Amino acid sequence: MSGGEHALESRLLKTGSERLALLGKHADVLMQAYTRDEVPLESLSDSALRKLLAARILWRPDEQSGVKLAPKVRELIAEMLADETRRHVNADVAETLELIRALVHSYREARSRGEHWRLEQQLMRLRQEVDDLNGRFADAIDSLWQRLNSDFGFVSQLNDKIRENDRAQKQIARLLDGLALIDFDELIELVGSDGGLRKLLISQLQQQLSHHYTGLREVQRRLIELMARFRKQQARSRLISGMVAFMREHPGFVPGNYARRSEVPGLVNQAAPLSAAAAPALDRNLDSRLLAELLHQLPQPRHTTQTVEAAAPAQAQESSLAAARQQALKQDVEHFYLSVIDQPQAEPVSALEYLHESPLEWPDEIWLFQVISEYQGLPRSDQKAFRLKQQESQASQFNHLRLIHDVELQLAV
Amino acid sequence: MIEHGPLLERLLAGEFVCPISDESGYRHLTNEETREEIDTYLRPLNRRLASNEDGSVYFLAWRQLNDNARDQLSRQLGDTLNSLLPLLEWLQLVQEALGRDTLAAPGDVLKPAEFSAKCEDNQSLRERLERLATDSFFGSQSDQLDAQVKQVFKRLKEHGYLLQPHSERQVFVVTGKIDYLVDLVRFIRDEENLPIESGSEEGSGAQEALL
């Protein structure tokens, strides 16, 4: 018996490896079949096609139709590529539960007969089935998250996204229905007192399934949220294109003045802007110090030099005019001094008399000023050569202000 | 209140505060206590904090609607209505030019260069952009495509619909004020009973019939 089992196992191993190898050997053709409807037969030899059909990697739905990829292989490729457009969710829990029940019965039979090898085989298959069940939920949840996180990026149109979201939500409903089929009371009864089975089918499975349940609920919540967002986006798009179309058709359209209603709608009540202005103030000591610091930190205004340059011609004109007049006055006064030097017997000469007799037109006051300042501007040695006599009087008896009426200049011989 | 100074200033200046335009300010405004504090502060200024229905943008509204406030609101409403069609057409143009199937939404990144390139390749988009840019709301004086696009983005930024995170980079982000605009359109449609379909059901047939 045991020898027969071993022979079976080694035959399985051999055939399995051979058939798996076919996948690798014909990977290109199989991928072409995945992306198209049918297998491109021209690149396959007759014997290769026969082998692929025998391994159920390919199948022919009927005599007339072409050769196609077997659904399981298509699913395997989709799973490996995380190709969300074609990934399937297999929520058939009932079938797995049937199988587990059968395996448990078979396991207990083997135990009561003391068939250790069969016992181990059954336990292994049970473990595989439980792993498989787990894997299916984990894969489904992974696939759902992938779709969710990409915002269903594998389809471009919003309508398609909405349909895909709908499909995903139905898958979740089926997965949750599947989970509800697993009745732990029944399983507890089924495994009885066997510790190994108890661990596998009760404690371990329960923990894993509750994890899946939480995961599914979370994905479901997020999918519903995303669906609401999709619907909202769709509604916005339609609203705007509808309004644009309406306003183009009715160029004179003017809605009511909502601001004049007794109850102004909240949306149009938008207060006028107000700027919170402030200026530097010096009425607080602490602030003035800070302001002074800020003032020092200010960069030297660079435009000052420019301003001076720009204003220079006008100023120069004015000052040069004044300087010219000043120079003329100075020259006239110098002539007056020369005429004093020329006086025979060094007679004193009145400055005002000289001015009035000459054709010069300086105001008296300015003339006197210049005569006096010329005297004071002379070097001390030259000053001694002249004698300046001021005719003055007191302005009033209440102060010592003295008014100069005239000056007389005389050579001091 | 001191920590809300900058936020208050923005609100008083007439800005719309959303998670895009002022993330931390918006976060503060989602706190009811803060909102009440700000409302109390605004009372003597005859203003109060307001938001759109979803609470995705905050702005200031008049507290008491006196004659001055009503005058101001009428003028503002008039301005908004004048700019409504160009703004909505721009939204449609962006959606079509960039090949999107949804309207620009808060947080979406828009690049004028990408937009120009798309319009350059397509005569119909180019003409629509030209018409839009020279509309008095956008007010472009140029006949160059790039300059027109630049002007359109500039105006949208000035009006707070777009934000330019780096002044030296030509990349813009759509703000929550777009939500306000869409809400306003919906409001007008409902108030005026306009025959505009926007049901969330499979209503593309009705949509086509309308167009």
Side-chain angles (χ1 to χ4, degrees):
Chain A
M1 182 78 195
S2 161
E5 297 273 9
H6 279 301
L8 179 72
E9 195 186 324
S10 68
R11 196 160 52 82
L12 273 178
L13 275 176
K14 188 167 168 284
T15 318
S17 315
E18 274 173 15
R19 293 189 167 173
L20 273 176
L22 287 174
L23 287 175
K25 198 174 166 192
H26 302 292
D28 287 346
V29 179
L30 294 177
M31 276 316 290
Q32 282 178 37
Y34 179 76
T35 53
R36 300 177 196 176
D37 188 35
E38 289 183 4
V39 181
L41 291 175
E42 61 276 14
S43 42
L44 277 180
S45 69
D46 279 353
S47 76
L49 179 63
R50 266 202 306 281
K51 279 183 189 164
L52 284 167
L53 285 167
R56 290 183 203 84
I57 292 172
L58 300 180
W59 73 305
R60 200 192 289 271
D62 55 64
E63 290 304 316
Q64 281 79 39
S65 71
V67 179
K68 303 192 174 188
L69 215 54
K72 288 267 156 95
V73 178
R74 188 178 288 280
E75 231 172 276
L76 175 70
I77 297 174
E79 207 53 56
M80 287 192 291
L81 297 176
D83 180 352
E84 298 303 343
T85 46
R86 301 178 204 217
R87 230 167 144 183
H88 284 267
V89 166
N90 182 357
D92 190 0
V93 177
E95 159 97 21
T96 308
L97 279 175
E98 270 310 307
L99 195 59
I100 287 176
R101 279 189 207 109
L103 285 169
V104 170
H105 286 304
S106 171
Y107 169 88
R108 290 166 96 174
E109 268 172 34
R111 195 180 52 188
S112 64
R113 288 187 203 155
E115 293 172 344
H116 289 289
W117 189 81
R118 219 179 115 209
L119 195 70
E120 250 171 62
Q121 283 289 303
Q122 299 304 332
L123 192 61
M124 192 188 76
R125 283 203 58 197
L126 262 174
R127 220 176 266 134
Q128 280 179 349
E129 283 305 323
V130 170
D131 282 350
D132 205 39
L133 185 67
N134 250 322
R136 259 183 280 152
F137 278 107
D139 273 355
I141 292 171
D142 173 70
S143 160
L144 288 162
W145 274 118
Q146 294 249 7
R147 281 180 262 174
L148 187 68
N149 288 338
S150 69
D151 267 14
F152 293 91
F154 51 91
V155 285
S156 59
Q157 294 299 309
L158 192 62
N159 284 338
D160 287 336
K161 285 178 200 259
I162 288 175
R163 274 191 283 275
E164 281 294 329
N165 187 310
D166 200 42
R167 191 167 73 89
Q169 289 195 38
K170 282 180 183 149
Q171 286 173 356
I172 291 185
R174 284 206 299 280
L175 286 164
L176 287 170
D177 286 349
L179 276 181
L181 284 178
I182 301 170
D183 178 1
F184 280 98
D185 289 343
E186 187 216 326
L187 284 178
I188 288 168
E189 209 175 303
L190 189 67
V191 298
S193 57
D194 190 294
L197 282 187
R198 213 182 164 80
K199 193 174 168 218
L200 179 65
L201 289 178
I202 314 294
S203 53
Q204 206 177 310
L205 189 62
Q206 201 160 27
Q207 197 191 348
Q208 286 160 338
L209 291 186
S210 94
H211 182 69
H212 295 324
Y213 183 80
T214 322
L216 279 172
R217 280 292 186 202
E218 178 63 16
V219 179
Q220 191 177 39
R221 191 178 65 75
R222 293 275 303 274
L223 278 172
I224 291 170
E225 267 176 28
L226 188 63
M227 187 67 128
R229 219 175 75 211
F230 284 160
R231 295 250 189 245
K232 196 176 148 193
Q233 285 175 344
Q234 200 178 35
R236 275 164 80 110
S237 249
R238 286 182 182 163
L239 174 68
I240 298 309
S241 56
M243 184 58 104
V244 167
F246 179 83
M247 287 179 81
R248 281 211 199 107
E249 258 180 67
H250 305 85
F253 167 69
V254 179
N257 188 344
Y258 309 125
R260 296 287 175 212
R261 290 195 185 166
S262 53
E263 283 279 323
V264 173
L267 210 55
V268 302
N269 184 356
Q270 191 195 332
L274 200 79
S275 91
L282 297 168
D283 54 355
R284 282 206 306 221
N285 257 342
L286 211 67
D287 291 359
S288 5
R289 223 174 302 148
L290 185 73
L291 282 172
E293 258 172 56
L294 287 176
L295 200 63
H296 288 308
Q297 281 168 15
L298 282 183
Q300 287 289 333
R302 276 191 303 169
H303 57 263
T304 42
T305 45
Q306 240 177 342
T307 330
V308 166
E309 262 174 6
Q315 262 187 359
Q317 217 175 11
E318 210 174 83
S319 68
S320 70
L321 200 73
R325 280 176 62 79
Q326 178 67 33
Q327 191 58 35
L329 178 64
K330 200 172 151 58
Q331 268 179 14
D332 291 344
V333 170
E334 277 171 11
H335 284 127
F336 168 62
Y337 271 74
L338 289 176
S339 74
V340 171
I341 294 169
D342 288 342
Q343 279 299 320
Q345 278 97 43
E347 288 282 328
V349 182
S350 151
L352 281 184
E353 267 175 38
Y354 174 89
L355 177 68
H356 295 154
E357 278 164 22
S358 73
L360 300 173
E361 285 179 351
W362 299 111
D364 294 357
E365 207 175 334
I366 285 178
W367 181 252
L368 290 179
F369 239 111
Q370 187 58 35
V371 171
I372 296 167
S373 70
E374 189 70 22
Y375 178 78
Q376 280 162 354
L378 287 175
R380 188 145 295 200
S381 53
D382 291 0
Q383 261 182 17
K384 283 180 185 161
F386 293 98
R387 198 178 292 151
L388 190 75
K389 199 172 157 208
Q390 298 169 352
Q391 287 185 7
E392 51 188 15
S393 65
Q394 199 162 341
S396 87
Q397 33 181 161
F398 302 107
N399 61 28
H400 293 281
L401 181 68
R402 303 183 78 82
L403 300 175
I404 296 173
H405 303 292
D406 197 359
V407 289
E408 276 181 1
L409 194 67
Q410 188 181 14
L411 259 183
V413 190
Chain B
M1 271 318 258
I2 288 218
E3 78 263 34
H4 303 313
L7 175 59
L8 272 169
E9 229 171 287
R10 305 189 73 161
L11 285 166
L12 282 172
E15 278 186 46
F16 280 60
V17 172
C18 71
I20 313 298
S21 65
D22 181 355
E23 205 236 326
S24 81
Y26 178 80
R27 213 178 43 242
H28 285 303
L29 290 177
T30 52
N31 179 341
E32 202 183 330
E33 252 175 66
T34 310
R35 283 205 304 272
E36 277 168 16
E37 270 175 38
I38 288 183
D39 255 355
T40 313
Y41 170 86
L42 292 170
R43 198 176 283 268
L45 298 170
N46 187 22
R47 279 160 171 86
R48 65 176 176 84
L49 202 57
S51 77
N52 65 340
E53 211 172 302
D54 295 351
S56 61
V57 277
Y58 286 96
F59 55 95
L60 293 193
W62 296 111
R63 178 172 285 280
Q64 295 290 327
L65 283 157
N66 51 31
D67 287 348
N68 281 343
R70 281 176 192 272
D71 286 348
Q72 185 271 137
L73 285 183
S74 297
R75 275 196 307 277
Q76 186 170 271
L77 202 59
D79 289 349
T80 308
L81 291 171
N82 279 334
S83 61
L84 197 58
L85 191 57
L87 277 172
L88 299 185
E89 283 185 327
W90 176 78
L91 277 172
Q92 275 197 314
L93 192 61
V94 167
Q95 184 179 343
E96 282 175 46
L98 301 183
R100 299 184 181 180
D101 56 358
T102 53
L103 283 184
D108 282 3
V109 174
L110 297 178
K111 296 175 184 160
E114 192 187 342
F115 189 58
S116 299
K118 299 278 183 186
C119 290
E120 204 154 41
D121 291 347
N122 183 322
Q123 192 54 34
S124 138
L125 291 176
R126 175 79 189 86
E127 279 165 16
R128 279 168 65 190
L129 175 75
E130 172 116 34
R131 209 176 52 227
L132 202 57
T134 49
D135 181 285
S136 62
F137 175 70
F138 290 115
S140 172
Q141 308 284 323
S142 172
D143 55 1
Q144 297 295 307
L145 174 72
D146 284 341
Q148 287 172 354
V149 170
K150 209 173 158 191
Q151 173 71 10
V152 167
F153 275 78
K154 187 177 148 235
R155 291 284 289 155
L156 290 164
K157 186 180 144 188
E158 283 168 7
H159 282 263
Y161 294 107
L162 295 180
L163 189 84
Q164 192 179 8
H166 306 284
S167 56
E168 71 282 4
R169 283 178 58 202
Q170 288 292 308
V171 175
F172 295 81
V173 186
V174 178
T175 70
K177 201 174 175 183
I178 287 284
D179 283 349
Y180 174 85
L181 186 74
V182 174
D183 286 349
L184 190 68
V185 171
R186 191 177 297 117
F187 176 80
I188 293 173
R189 178 200 65 188
D190 295 347
E191 284 297 310
E192 311 293 328
N193 288 315
L194 302 184
I196 296 169
E197 182 75 47
S198 81
S200 52
E201 300 311 312
E202 297 285 320
S204 55
Q207 173 94 19
E208 277 159 21
L210 185 79
L211 293 171

